[in-house]
Amino acid sequence: MTPADVAEYLGKPTSWVYSQWRGTGIPFRKVGNQLRCRPGDLDNWFDQQAA
């Protein structure tokens, strides 16, 4: 998933996604010069935030 995909999935602005990636660590990986996130990793991160 791209940052835009993550933003749509979470119902948040893309700027929020970037701030969370830098802050609390949405589990993005760099692929070349782009950020990507696996859906399962995002779900796990989301579940940890609610705890």
Side-chain angles (χ1 to χ4, degrees):
M1 299 172 78
T2 66
D5 295 333
V6 172
E8 183 177 336
Y9 179 75
L10 296 176
K12 297 285 188 176
T14 305
S15 60
W16 180 88
V17 171
Y18 279 109
S19 71
Q20 293 302 304
W21 167 61
R22 291 183 190 107
T24 59
I26 291 176
F28 282 108
R29 301 205 193 285
K30 283 204 144 200
V31 178
N33 64 350
Q34 299 178 350
L35 294 175
R36 293 291 185 262
C37 182
R38 292 182 182 143
D41 292 343
L42 180 61
D43 288 336
N44 289 337
W45 174 84
F46 183 79
D47 291 342
Q48 290 174 359
Q49 301 310 302

